[in-house]
Amino acid sequence: VDFAPIDGVGANITTYTDPTVAASTSYSYRVIAFNLTGSSLPSNVATIATAAPPQVASILRTSVNPTGAATVNYSLTFSESVTGVDVSDFAVTVTGDVINSSVKSVSGFGKTYTVVVNTGSGTGTLRLDLMDNNSIVNALANPLGGAGAQDYLTGEVYDLNRVVPTVVSIVRAMPNPTNAASLDFTVTFS
């Protein structure tokens, strides 16, 4: 392993935090002490491996689909336990003429959360997106997906259909008159 200087510290410093470490990476360190009379030999090598950051495992529908309901639910699962999940971490993506949809509430803990979404009005599709603002962290304070925004835009989609069906026609399917004990009709809906 080739070593290169990464930093220097002042007198009487006994700890150091490397600001350049990244998740899912292995690092090897050694220390050389300096004073007015010279430098020490390099220390033994200390190797550390950083943990992988938490990830979104899935965003799945848990309400009936298609739907005309005022609210729908999603189940959000992470790769490990996290904290800091709240309404500000989400956005709703719609198609068609759907308007006024919004994230209503977030509940849960650990790896699994439930997100309730107001569906608004109109007909089209609705998808819940996680918009990473680095507020979601694991027990080691590693942010979701690592440093920077790691948005999750591939959750399941709800089909929103608020058109109430109407009866277009009712036509007798049997000859008239009849002596049958029951009658058959053909009903056509919109």
Side-chain angles (χ1 to χ4, degrees), residues 69-72 74 87 90-105 115-129 158 160 162:
T71 62
V72 292
Y74 282 92
V87 171
F90 299 95
V92 178
T93 299
V94 297
T95 65
D97 63 359
V98 177
I99 58 171
N100 298 323
S101 59
S102 62
V103 177
K104 180 178 181 180
S105 65
V115 182
V116 180
V117 177
N118 292 316
T119 61
S121 61
T123 298
T125 64
L126 178 145
R127 183 185 73 220
L128 178 67
D129 295 332
Y158 279 101
L160 304 178
R162 293 182 172 80

Side-chain angles (χ1 to χ4, degrees), residues 54 56 76 78 81-86 89-90 113 130-138 141-146:
V56 173
L76 169 62
F78 294 96
S81 291
V82 295
T83 59
V85 182
D86 60 37
D89 295 309
F90 299 95
Y113 291 79
L130 189 144
M131 309 307 289
D132 181 19
N133 60 12
N134 286 332
S135 67
I136 300 173
V137 297
N138 66 7
N142 290 325
L144 180 68

Side-chain angles (χ1 to χ4, degrees), residues 9-16 33-35:
V9 295
N12 300 318
I13 301 297
T14 59
T15 62
Y16 176 76
F34 293 93
N35 66 21

Side-chain angles (χ1 to χ4, degrees), residues 2-190:
D2 291 327
F3 289 91
I6 58 169
D7 207 350
V9 295
N12 300 318
I13 301 297
T14 59
T15 62
Y16 176 76
T17 301
D18 183 350
T20 66
V21 295
S24 302
T25 308
S26 179
Y27 293 90
S28 295
Y29 297 93
R30 64 183 185 178
V31 176
I32 299 174
F34 293 93
N35 66 21
L36 294 175
T37 61
S39 62
S40 69
L41 292 174
S43 68
N44 292 333
V45 175
T47 300
I48 62 143
T50 57
Q55 302 289 329
V56 173
S58 64
I59 298 178
L60 302 175
R61 294 184 308 255
T62 59
S63 299
V64 174
N65 186 50
T67 186
T71 62
V72 292
N73 295 337
Y74 282 92
S75 177
L76 169 62
T77 304
F78 294 96
S79 60
E80 63 182 284
S81 291
V82 295
T83 59
V85 182
D86 60 37
V87 171
S88 70
D89 295 309
F90 299 95
V92 178
T93 299
V94 297
T95 65
D97 63 359
V98 177
I99 58 171
N100 298 323
S101 59
S102 62
V103 177
K104 180 178 181 180
S105 65
V106 177
S107 61
F109 62 93
K111 291 174 62 171
T112 306
Y113 291 79
T114 297
V115 182
V116 180
V117 177
N118 292 316
T119 61
S121 61
T123 298
T125 64
L126 178 145
R127 183 185 73 220
L128 178 67
D129 295 332
L130 189 144
M131 309 307 289
D132 181 19
N133 60 12
N134 286 332
S135 67
I136 300 173
V137 297
N138 66 7
L140 299 173
N142 290 325
L144 180 68
Q150 311 293 326
D151 298 341
Y152 186 85
L153 310 175
T154 58
E156 292 186 328
V157 173
Y158 279 101
D159 294 312
L160 304 178
N161 185 347
R162 293 182 172 80
V163 177
V164 177
T166 58
V167 175
V168 174
S169 67
I170 302 175
V171 177
R172 187 177 52 248
M174 300 176 66
N176 185 21
T178 183
N179 290 331
S182 64
L183 300 174
D184 292 331
F185 291 90
T186 302
V187 180
T188 306
F189 295 93
S190 60

